[in-house]
Structures are given as C-alpha cells and as structure tokens.
Amino acid sequence: GDVYKRQIHHRIILGAQMYLADEGAIMVEVAYDQADEIFELYEQCDYLKEVSTVRDNLGHHRVVKARKA
C-alpha cells in the first residue's frame, strides 16, 4: 500500500545520494494520486535541489525529478 511505496522512495533517496554525480538528475514515475506526497519527500531531502514534477498527457503529475546539489 501507500506505506510500502513511501518506503521504496526513502530507499531510492538514500541510495541515489551515493550514485548521483554532482548536478546529476533523478527522475521517478509516481502514481498520479501520490505525486504530492512523494514530491514532499524529495523536497525535504538535504542533498537534492530543483525538485519538480512533470505532468502526463492527462495533466496528472506523474514524474518527480530533482538534481543533486
């Protein structure tokens, strides 16, 4: 459920810090009804900047993207 998906994104955030080069980008697809919650997780991360979302063809926020500071 939602808790499991949130845990997955926590793991992605923790792991990405080790693998992203400076200024490297991360993009993750999210369920349209979870974009706000997942966006907040990435925005609260100290090593990421320029956190934003990309909309799909129906106008739903479907991708969260960020850059390593």
Side-chain angles (χ1 to χ4, degrees), residues 20-54:
L20 282 177
D22 290 344
E23 300 295 321
I26 182 170
M27 293 185 243
V28 292
E29 184 177 9
V30 297
Y32 75 92
D33 60 345
Q34 293 184 329
D36 291 339
E37 179 182 4
I38 302 305
F39 175 87
E40 289 293 323
L41 284 176
Y42 284 79
E43 193 170 57
Q44 293 171 3
C45 182
D46 292 340
Y47 79 90
L48 294 174
K49 64 181 182 178
E50 299 175 20
V51 180
S52 62
T53 59
V54 178

Side-chain angles (χ1 to χ4, degrees), residues 29-33 53-63:
E29 184 177 9
V30 297
Y32 75 92
D33 60 345
T53 59
V54 178
R55 294 179 185 263
D56 64 14
N57 291 340
L58 297 176
H60 299 293
H61 296 275
R62 291 294 294 212
V63 174

Side-chain angles (χ1 to χ4, degrees), residues 2-19:
D2 292 344
V3 173
Y4 178 71
K5 290 176 186 173
R6 190 174 173 92
Q7 289 174 345
I8 289 173
H9 284 281
H10 276 290
R11 290 177 65 191
I12 291 170
I13 289 169
L14 291 173
Q17 186 173 11
M18 294 185 306
Y19 295 105

